[in-house]
């Protein structure tokens, strides 16, 4: 079956590039003025450091190709005569970029980094060199956060160098100033250590010092295993506050108690937390699914509300004498046709409007009875409803409309797509771009919801699917029954694969079939499973029923969600 690549969920990657093992290149430039004035670079100085040790230095004058203003000479001591024999910037750049190693994971550091980085990016672009876009650390805002004004009068490089007792004094010469910045950087990193910041990611995310609660409750992470799994923050009563997942439980939970955690609601949650419960998982898919199930079961208040399964919206074609399209929150075992779930009620309304434009279904909510006649609404006069309420349309004729809507939702989408795209083109040709854009959005919502329902339905029909993916520690093997993750395990190298799979299948959860596109698992869980099955390296081990999606289903027309961008320029 051709699987649709689904949007990726949040990564399981953890913070963890140690500062002690990070290579920094500290850069300083001298120039003839600002870039806005068309200034050029007169000198480059750089120092490579790692773990407090200087690895190398780079320094050279540069011929800027423009006159040096007298006030710049007075400030830096660099004269026109000094730079006249110096190489031009296009000759210096290759040597500097090679020394800096910015394309090899080196972190660029500067005091007032936007100035230096702006010049370097501009000269690279001007002379055909690709800017490697390295991570950047600016010591100015970092010093403002770590060194209060009651310690220093300002945060200039000279002031900070004197305050920290840096032996290299800034002189407005590039290499001297780069050396002084190295001393300031090391002093700032020492202060960061007292806040629990010991990785590059935490350094770059540092905004404010950790709260007293964060520092006091770091003990909650001390007994966390360094294993993949799910963690649950709980309050004193044992109620869940927050649920998350990680490849390394200890490091991820520890990050909540450092300065890198700046989210206001999370800091508020930490103040309430009294324990963190770890749940070790064998595979990444198990961790993702357990997280979703725990969020659905325990409803932790500090997880995103959008992950609340109760907020899902479905589009339902009702089962009654004259079916209609309705927005519902639950899928029932009532034989009705369901499409979705949609991301929001608004998206479901757009999908319903798309079908109403093509199929003349009734939009009223009346219960028809021969003894209680109903007067037809304005839609009948507009030709958008056959007025079955007044008996103008027989149940048999109306059933043909309902059947067409059901086919569009379950797998035969072509007629609806042709009708809507044709109407969009007509509106565009008449320069009615706003109306064309509205119909385009409705079509995109219909295709998204129907495609999601068709993918989920195809997976839910499978009594059993067994698949595996090779990982660093062995093969991750998963058993999926009717869309629900029924069992998973890690098969280590040297294990008998037949015995392992047989044991996993025999001990997997029993899952009976059920109604609707997502009968035995939440739609979010099923999409996690689909995303894992669609990931590189997955191999099907056992499949007892053909796995198919409709040939003319909504996924066939997925490209139409970006349909004809020039058709509605007013919306772009």
């Amino acid at each position: 079956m051709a699987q649709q690549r689904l949007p990726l969920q949040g990564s399981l990657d953890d913070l963890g590039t140690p500062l002690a093992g990070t290579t920094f290149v500290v850069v300083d430039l001298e120039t003839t003025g600002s870039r806005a004035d068309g200034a050029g670079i007169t000198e480059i100085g750089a120092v490579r450091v790692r773990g407090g040790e200087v690895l190398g230095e780079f320094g050279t004058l540069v011929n800027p190709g423009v006159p040096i203003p007298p006030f710049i000479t007075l400030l830096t001591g660099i004269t026109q005569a000094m730079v006249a024999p110096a190489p031009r910037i296009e000759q210096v750049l290759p040597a500097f970029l090679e020394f800096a190693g910015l394309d090899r994971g080196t972190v660029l550091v500067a005091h007032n980094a936007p100035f230096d980085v702006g010049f370097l990016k501009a000269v690279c672009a001007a002379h055909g060199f690709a800017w490697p876009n390295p991570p950047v650390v600016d010591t100015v805002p970092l010093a403002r956060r770590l060194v209060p004004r009651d310690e220093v009068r300002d945060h200039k490089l000279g002031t900070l160098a004197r305050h920290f007792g840096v032996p290299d004094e800034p002189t407005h010469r590039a290499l001297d100033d780069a050396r002084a910045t190295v001393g300031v950087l090391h002093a700032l990193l020492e202060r960061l250590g007292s806040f629990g910041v010991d990785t590059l990611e935490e350094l770059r995310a540092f905004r404010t010092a950790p709260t007293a609660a964060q520092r006091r409750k770091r003990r909650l992470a001390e007994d966390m295993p360094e294993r993949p799994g799910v963690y649950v923050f709980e309050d004193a009563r044992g109620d869940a506050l927050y649920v998350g997942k990680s490849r390394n439980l200890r490091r991820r939970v520890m990050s909540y108690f450092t300065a890198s955690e700046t989210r206001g609601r999370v800091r508020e949650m930490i103040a309430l937390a009294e324990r963190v419960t770890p749940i070790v998982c064998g595979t990444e898919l198990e961790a993702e699914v357990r997280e979703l199930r725990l969020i659905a079961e325990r409803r932790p208040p500090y997880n995103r509300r959008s992950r609340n399964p109760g907020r899902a919206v479905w589009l339902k074609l009702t089962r009654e004498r004259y079916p209609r399209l309705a927005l519902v929150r639950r899928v029932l075992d009532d034989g009705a046709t369901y499409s979705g779930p949609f991301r929001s009620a608004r998206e479901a309304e757009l999908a319903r409007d798309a079908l109403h434009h093509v199929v003349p279904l009734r939009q009223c909510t009346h219960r028809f009875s021969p003894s209680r006649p109903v007067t037809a609404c304005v839609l009948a006069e507009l030709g958008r409803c056959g007025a079955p309420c007044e008996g103008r349309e027989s149940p048999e004729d109306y059933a043909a409309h309902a059947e067409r809507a059901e086919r569009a939702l379950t797998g035969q989408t072509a007629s609806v797509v042709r009708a809507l795209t044709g109407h969009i083109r007509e509106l565009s040709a008449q320069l009615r771009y706003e109306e064309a854009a509205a119909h385009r959005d409705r079509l995109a919502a219909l295709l998204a919801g129907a495609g999601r329902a068709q993918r989920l339905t195809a997976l839910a029909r499978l009594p059993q699917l067994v698949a595996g993916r090779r990982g660093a520690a062995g093969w991750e093997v998963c058993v999926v029954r009717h869309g629900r993750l029924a069992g998973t395990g890690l098969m280590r190298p040297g294990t008998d694969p037949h015995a392992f799979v047989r044991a996993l299948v025999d001990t997997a959860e029993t899952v009976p079939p059920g109604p609707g596109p997502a009968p035995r698992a939440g739609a979010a869980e099923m999409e996690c499973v689909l995303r894992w099955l669609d990931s590189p390296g997955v191999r099907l081990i056992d499949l007892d029923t053909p796995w198919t999606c409709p040939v003319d289903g909504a996924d066939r027309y997925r490209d139409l969600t970006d349909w004809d961008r020039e058709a509605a320029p007013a919306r772009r």
Side-chain angles (χ1 to χ4, degrees):
M1 182 187 78
Q3 278 294 312
Q4 173 64 45
R5 187 169 295 277
L6 298 171
L8 290 177
Q9 193 166 288
S11 171
L12 291 170
D13 290 339
D14 296 295
L15 305 174
T17 306
L19 289 174
T22 300
T23 301
F24 298 95
V25 59
V26 183
V27 177
D28 187 80
L29 304 180
E30 300 301 331
T31 68
T32 62
S34 67
R35 284 194 302 125
D37 300 329
I41 297 173
T42 59
E43 190 175 30
I44 298 180
V47 182
R48 281 173 60 90
V49 294
R50 183 174 60 240
E53 179 184 353
V54 175
L55 304 179
E57 294 185 338
F58 179 95
T60 181
L61 290 167
V62 181
N63 187 334
V66 295
I68 300 177
F71 77 92
I72 294 293
T73 297
L74 184 63
L75 178 68
T76 65
I78 300 175
T79 65
Q80 199 73 44
M82 292 170 61
V83 299
R88 301 294 291 265
I89 189 62
E90 59 268 29
Q91 299 171 288
V92 173
L93 270 177
F96 168 73
L97 293 173
E98 176 62 28
F99 168 82
L102 300 178
D103 58 347
R104 300 191 296 274
T106 302
V107 179
L108 179 65
V109 180
H111 199 72
N112 188 21
F115 178 87
D116 301 274
V117 173
F119 263 99
L120 291 172
K121 290 174 69 173
V123 295
C124 282
H127 298 288
F129 292 91
W131 176 247
N133 199 31
V136 176
V137 172
D138 189 347
T139 51
V140 172
L142 189 60
R144 288 173 179 159
R145 296 172 191 132
L146 293 171
V147 187
R149 293 301 290 267
D150 58 359
E151 287 190 50
V152 293
R153 67 175 185 274
D154 56 50
H155 294 93
K156 295 179 180 179
L157 180 59
T159 304
L160 292 171
R162 287 189 296 272
H163 179 71
F164 289 125
V166 175
D168 299 290
E169 183 180 351
T171 62
H172 291 294
R173 293 298 300 270
L175 189 54
D176 288 345
D177 288 6
R179 290 168 177 161
T181 305
V182 169
V184 170
L185 173 67
H186 287 158
L188 295 175
L189 293 181
E190 286 182 12
R191 291 204 172 191
L192 281 171
S194 65
F195 295 133
V197 175
D198 55 9
T199 68
L200 174 61
E201 291 78 5
E202 292 171 337
L203 165 62
R204 298 188 66 202
F206 182 80
R207 293 295 179 269
T208 59
T211 63
Q214 284 178 292
R215 292 194 296 271
R216 186 174 66 254
K217 294 186 177 181
R218 292 192 72 180
R219 57 181 173 76
L220 299 180
E222 292 176 356
D223 295 330
M224 290 292 109
E226 295 192 18
R227 299 278 302 280
V230 177
Y231 54 91
V232 184
F233 281 87
E234 297 175 334
D235 62 17
R237 298 181 302 176
D239 294 334
L241 298 171
Y242 183 85
V243 177
K245 62 183 180 297
S246 175
R247 283 196 181 120
N248 187 312
L249 289 168
R250 179 180 174 82
R251 286 168 59 185
R252 182 68 187 104
V253 173
M254 185 67 75
S255 72
Y256 284 90
F257 305 102
T258 68
S260 65
E261 182 51 76
T262 58
R263 291 171 292 177
R265 280 182 57 79
V266 172
R267 288 189 168 194
E268 177 184 306
M269 179 272 295
I270 290 170
L272 300 174
E274 291 298 330
R275 68 181 65 89
V276 184
T277 301
I279 303 172
V280 175
C281 299
T283 65
E284 291 182 36
L285 180 58
E286 181 187 359
E288 287 193 56
V289 169
R290 278 186 178 273
E291 180 192 31
L292 290 170
R293 291 179 184 176
L294 282 169
I295 290 172
E297 175 188 346
R298 304 190 66 177
R299 304 292 177 89
Y302 288 92
N303 281 90
R304 290 177 298 169
R305 293 182 180 180
S306 60
R307 304 182 75 167
N308 186 339
R311 295 175 61 85
V313 181
W314 300 82
L315 183 60
K316 174 182 179 179
L317 182 64
T318 60
R319 294 276 293 181
E320 49 189 318
R321 189 180 186 191
Y322 295 102
R324 60 187 178 85
L325 294 169
L327 271 60
V328 297
R329 294 284 184 180
R330 291 193 302 154
V331 175
L332 304 176
D333 189 5
D334 56 1
T337 299
Y338 292 86
S339 183
F342 292 87
R343 289 189 295 267
S344 65
R346 174 59 179 160
E347 187 177 272
E349 290 170 356
L350 290 174
R352 181 176 60 183
D353 292 344
L355 268 180
H356 278 155
H357 181 81
V358 178
V359 185
L361 294 175
R362 69 185 182 97
Q363 300 182 36
C364 60
T365 58
H366 299 306
R367 293 184 179 275
F368 297 153
S369 170
S371 61
R372 299 177 61 186
V374 177
T375 303
C377 63
V378 69
L379 292 176
E381 305 305 322
L382 295 174
R384 295 176 59 185
C385 178
C389 54
E390 288 188 342
R392 300 187 204 174
E393 190 170 42
S394 68
E396 294 74 23
D397 291 339
Y398 189 90
H401 303 320
E403 184 180 353
R404 186 183 180 192
E406 182 177 6
R407 288 199 304 267
L409 293 175
T410 58
Q412 298 181 33
T413 321
S415 63
V416 173
V417 170
R418 282 196 300 268
L420 284 170
T421 53
H423 186 59
I424 291 170
R425 290 191 179 96
E426 289 176 8
L427 292 172
S428 299
Q430 299 169 20
L431 307 183
R432 296 161 64 183
Y433 296 125
E434 290 291 339
E435 294 177 66
H439 284 283
R440 178 207 60 208
D441 293 345
R442 291 168 186 164
L443 175 58
L446 175 63
L447 292 175
R452 191 173 296 119
Q454 290 160 21
R455 289 192 300 273
L456 298 181
T457 299
L459 185 63
R461 286 173 178 164
L462 301 178
Q464 179 170 289
L465 178 152
V466 184
R469 182 179 69 179
R470 185 191 295 275
W475 279 85
E476 299 176 0
V477 183
C478 297
V479 180
V480 180
R481 290 173 175 163
H482 294 294
R484 182 178 177 86
L485 181 64
T488 180
L490 183 65
M491 185 171 64
R492 303 283 184 180
T495 304
D496 182 346
H498 298 287
F500 181 89
V501 172
R502 185 166 55 250
L504 185 63
V505 169
D506 289 345
T507 57
E509 177 184 359
T510 300
V511 181
R520 298 305 179 193
E525 175 180 332
M526 292 180 67
E527 290 191 326
C528 277
V529 172
L530 283 170
R531 190 164 45 248
W532 184 86
L533 290 169
D534 195 39
S535 62
V538 169
R539 299 290 183 268
L540 290 178
I541 298 173
D542 179 58
L543 187 63
D544 56 4
T545 302
W547 183 15
T548 60
C549 275
V551 173
D552 194 29
D555 277 344
R556 177 180 178 182
Y557 303 97
R558 196 169 181 83
D559 290 344
L560 291 181
T561 56
D562 293 325
W563 183 85
D564 201 359
R565 289 180 179 273
E566 66 272 13
R571 292 286 299 273
R572 293 292 179 184

